[in-house]
Amino acid sequence: MGRFVDLTLAGLTSGAVYAAVALALVLIWRSTRIVNFAQGGMLMITTFIAYTIISHGGSYWLALVVAVAGGLVLGAVVERVLVRPVEKRSPLDAVVVTFGLLVLLQGAAGMLFGGTPRSYPPAFGIAGFQAGGRQLLFAPNDLWIVLVVLAVMAALALVFRKTSLGLRMRATAFAPEVARLLGVRVGRMLTLGWALAAAVGALAGVLIAPSTFVSPTAFDAVLVFGFTAAVIGGLDSPPGAVVGGLALGIVLSYVAGYLGSDIVTLASLVVLIAVLMVRPQGLFGTAKGRRV
Amino acid sequence: MTALASAAPLRLWRQSTVVRHLTLSVVGLVVLYFVSTSLDAFANLQLAQVCYTAIATAGLTVLSGLSGQISLGHGAFVAVGAYTTALLLEHLQWPLALVLFGSVVVGGALGCLVGVAAARLRGPYLAGATLALAVGLPSLADYHGLRDLLGGANGLIVTPEPPPLSLGESFPLERWQAWICGLCLVITLFLLSNLASSRLGRDMRLVREDEQAAALSGVPVARTQIVTFGISAAFAGLAGGLFAIVNNLAAPGAFTLALSLSLLTAAVVGGLGSLAGAVYGAVIVTLLPNWTADLAQQANLPRAIYANIPLVLYGLVLIVVIVVFPGGIQSGVRKLGALLLRRARPDRPQESRQET
């Protein structure tokens, strides 16, 4: 029973990070109908920026802020330079371009930082809380991760629902042509959407870095899990991304604990296909799925 | 009469695709023979690598170019083929042709399985699922229940058969490997080019263009997609078997995301959907790492730099080709060919060719 509780708590923590990555993918999908396969590479680069600041004596907080700001800039640049030309073409083109960017970033990071994984300091202690005379597999740093992700989601929900900027962004995602006619600067909204998404991704990178280490390929699995979480949730639903992320985190934690950590990525594939077989539109998705 | 007799072979060439493809295959084999006998051992090894890469790329380009499905995880099927060959050779000692056929069957079977899921997934969904396959499948080799069978992280050693004695005592092993891979490549291209002009190939194109219209005209959409995925994965399996024989190894470290990526790069650079393009693309992605390593050695670059040059170039090339030259090399070759033809025969009206 204690082990079950531990695995659930550990799953909750990693699930929160998957949820953040999933949220970044959903933000981009809603506005441009593109799955950003470079997400893992983009958050890897910003995490390396944060790592460089810390290894030069900067504080955790400075590194976090710079990483998120770096994400904003990177997202905006990527949308303007790479995504704009392929946005209206077949989905295959966008997949290949973002996948190409992933590898370009991985190669560039390898050139600059080498392939050896580096350790990244956590914000708070990693010794588990005491409860009922035993140590839980849930530490102050895990609580920090969960709280930050929840706060970011709440803030995004507020922006989208309560501000005029959020309204314009939703209009752009929902009906770009109509939004343009009504005076929304659609291009600018798309750039902003990518920038926001990349910033959320950058945050997720810094949060998960202490447990995965930092290397050019360390976040490949995080991208896969984020994608799976987003698809489980429905790919165009932010609450779905959160629920999908947490659910996936917990399921994968059980798989790692009871079956073996080597097959976790494969298990996420099984979960992905199982969900799509039953509900092709995802749990919270509204888009009509295709039945075969 | 004589004019008619001399025109007959030409007419056969124009009308029968099988004759055309057979002739091209024979020419391909002759060229391979002369190329391989004029190359040294290392170059022959590279030739073998080009050939198996081209086989996997050809499978992928049929999948993406003809039926419009995408796979970011073809490296996983290559891995399955390599492990199948390693196991069959080491444990059962079957003859080589049968072993390779085994890799084709196992790769194809897994492909059909994935294809069932793939038929329900579109563009980015399918890409994500196959990405998970590429990242997740190699780790299976180190799973505790399979570690003894699959050799864990170290993988399995494959001992290739020596060249047959009838070729002479001193016949180089590398040339023999190049011959095996070359023969398999020619057979692959022959089969796939006929497939592209068959009824199934036409169904694939219809499904790619418009699934609903295809379904309305009686094309079994899901079945076509599943079969295409299976065929594509079968050739990736064959490439994997050849990989194991040429590199004497089947290990998880060889089947990274970078492998799947290099196959996609080869297909895109050559021109998605074009078999000739698959060969150009395979030549480029196979030789590129060697060229950059040589250049880096001359320039005394640190290892971290030159080891990553191919990755950076793959990424750049994927982006630039898709954004600027969506047709890849093959569309350039076609345009050049059309231009030359127009120059040569200015009176003939320009035929517009459908690009696939």
Side-chain angles (χ1 to χ4, degrees):
Chain A
M1 189 59 201
R3 186 165 162 72
F4 182 79
V5 172
D6 273 348
L7 290 175
T8 311
L9 286 172
L12 206 64
T13 311
S14 48
V17 177
Y18 305 157
V21 178
L23 197 67
L25 292 171
V26 166
L27 283 177
I28 287 175
W29 173 263
R30 270 160 57 104
S31 58
T32 44
R33 294 286 139 181
I34 286 174
V35 169
N36 181 16
F37 285 100
Q39 191 79 63
M42 287 161 68
L43 69 90
M44 178 267 298
I45 288 286
T46 51
T47 311
F48 259 120
I49 294 173
Y51 169 84
T52 311
I53 289 171
I54 286 179
S55 63
H56 283 81
S59 75
Y60 179 93
W61 307 105
L62 177 69
L64 181 69
V65 170
V66 173
V68 171
L72 274 173
V73 175
L74 186 61
V77 170
V78 167
E79 197 277 333
R80 272 291 151 106
V81 179
L82 300 180
V83 175
R84 210 42 81 82
V86 296
E87 208 195 347
K88 296 269 185 295
R89 294 208 230 141
S90 90
L92 210 68
D93 286 11
V95 167
V96 176
V97 165
T98 55
F99 196 51
L101 178 62
L102 169 68
V103 190
L104 179 61
L105 293 174
Q106 287 190 342
M111 283 185 178
L112 292 172
F113 302 101
T116 352
R118 325 284 181 100
S119 63
Y120 193 96
F124 297 102
I126 50 166
F129 289 112
Q130 297 286 336
R134 60 185 290 276
Q135 202 172 27
L136 291 176
L137 207 66
F138 193 75
N141 195 57
D142 299 326
L143 184 65
W144 156 248
I145 292 177
V146 174
L147 288 180
V148 169
V149 172
L150 290 179
V152 167
M153 284 157 193
L156 279 176
L158 267 181
V159 168
F160 276 109
R161 295 198 184 278
K162 301 288 178 196
T163 66
S164 85
L165 179 71
L167 184 65
R168 274 179 283 157
M169 289 184 72
R170 280 191 295 153
T172 302
F174 185 70
E177 294 310 319
V178 179
R180 198 189 307 273
L181 287 174
L182 294 174
V184 176
R185 308 194 56 168
V186 168
R188 197 172 286 181
M189 291 301 120
L190 295 182
T191 310
L192 189 64
W194 272 74
L196 269 182
V200 173
L203 188 74
V206 171
L207 291 178
I208 203 167
S211 53
T212 56
F213 293 89
V214 188
S215 82
T217 55
F219 300 110
D220 282 357
V222 175
L223 171 67
V224 170
F225 299 149
F227 174 79
T228 309
V231 172
I232 291 175
L235 211 52
D236 55 2
S237 152
V242 181
V243 174
L246 294 177
L248 184 71
I250 290 169
V251 168
L252 293 186
S253 179
Y254 296 150
V255 170
Y258 293 120
L259 297 175
S261 58
D262 297 311
I263 54 166
V264 169
T265 325
L266 218 49
S268 87
L269 176 67
V270 174
V271 171
L272 175 74
I273 290 180
V275 169
L276 284 171
M277 287 289 170
V278 183
R279 274 184 76 85
Q281 73 276 39
L283 297 180
F284 292 74
T286 48
K288 210 170 132 293
R290 185 175 53 145
R291 289 252 156 217
V292 182
Chain B
M1 274 307 273
T2 48
L4 226 129
S6 71
L10 197 70
R11 201 165 56 231
L12 205 59
W13 170 265
R14 282 225 185 104
Q15 285 174 353
S16 165
T17 22
V18 176
V19 168
R20 212 159 54 221
H21 293 155
L22 259 181
T23 319
L24 287 177
S25 303
V26 173
V27 172
L29 283 178
V30 172
V31 169
L32 269 170
Y33 172 82
F34 282 110
V35 169
S36 71
T37 47
S38 68
L39 292 177
D40 63 6
F42 179 69
N44 261 312
L45 205 61
Q46 286 191 328
L47 180 63
Q49 289 168 343
V50 168
C51 290
Y52 67 65
T53 309
I55 291 172
T57 309
L60 183 60
T61 208
V62 162
L63 182 74
S64 299
L66 281 187
S67 89
Q69 297 171 284
I70 192 160
S71 166
L72 301 184
H74 253 47
F77 300 115
V78 177
V80 167
Y83 273 100
T84 308
T85 289
L87 290 173
L88 290 180
L89 264 184
E90 294 305 302
H91 292 300
L92 302 178
Q93 274 124 18
W94 284 2
L96 188 62
L98 211 56
V99 168
L100 289 176
F101 189 68
S103 295
V104 172
V105 171
V106 175
L110 182 70
C112 285
L113 207 65
V114 176
V116 172
R120 286 173 156 256
L121 309 180
R122 273 166 300 172
Y125 289 91
L126 181 55
T130 49
L131 182 71
L133 188 69
V135 175
L137 195 71
S139 57
L140 208 57
D142 211 18
Y143 183 57
H144 55 76
L146 295 169
R147 203 173 293 155
D148 290 338
L149 181 68
L150 300 180
N154 294 328
L156 299 171
I157 303 285
V158 180
T159 333
E161 278 179 90
L165 281 176
S166 54
L167 289 169
E169 293 269 342
S170 60
F171 194 85
L173 175 66
E174 290 81 3
R175 192 184 297 163
W176 175 237
Q177 289 171 329
W179 281 15
I180 296 172
C181 296
L183 179 65
C184 289
L185 173 61
V186 169
I187 294 173
T188 301
L189 292 179
F190 176 74
L191 292 176
L192 287 179
S193 56
N194 284 322
L195 174 84
S197 49
S198 70
R199 185 200 168 104
L200 182 59
R202 200 184 58 216
D203 286 358
M204 287 175 188
R205 276 187 286 266
L206 262 174
V207 168
R208 179 195 65 195
E209 291 306 326
D210 191 335
E211 278 176 33
Q212 258 131 29
L216 284 175
S217 27
V219 174
V221 171
R223 201 173 72 202
T224 307
Q225 287 179 326
I226 294 168
V227 169
T228 316
F229 218 102
I231 291 172
S232 172
F235 285 106
L238 174 62
L242 295 169
F243 177 98
I245 289 163
V246 172
N247 299 296
N248 306 347
L249 183 74
F255 308 108
T256 53
L257 192 55
L259 172 70
S260 297
L261 177 90
S262 70
L263 296 179
L264 182 70
T265 310
V268 169
V269 171
L272 269 183
S274 148
L275 290 173
V279 178
Y280 311 140
V283 172
I284 291 174
V285 300
T286 311
L287 299 186
L288 193 70
N290 289 313
W291 290 337
T292 54
D294 287 349
L295 281 177
Q297 213 158 23
Q298 285 161 14
N300 276 325
L301 290 174
R303 206 192 115 69
I305 301 279
Y306 79 74
N308 282 295
I309 292 176
L311 275 188
V312 170
L313 285 179
Y314 288 162
L316 269 182
V317 160
L318 278 180
I319 294 170
V320 170
V321 169
I322 288 290
V323 173
V324 189
F325 315 103
I329 298 177
Q330 179 61 13
S331 96
V333 170
R334 280 199 186 129
K335 277 183 194 145
L336 197 69
L339 196 74
L340 291 178
L341 215 70
R342 204 164 38 194
R343 284 273 165 81
R345 279 180 287 182
D347 52 316
R348 209 181 155 91
Q350 177 64 33
E351 264 183 82
S352 66
R353 286 195 65 168
Q354 180 75 38
E355 272 177 35
T356 51

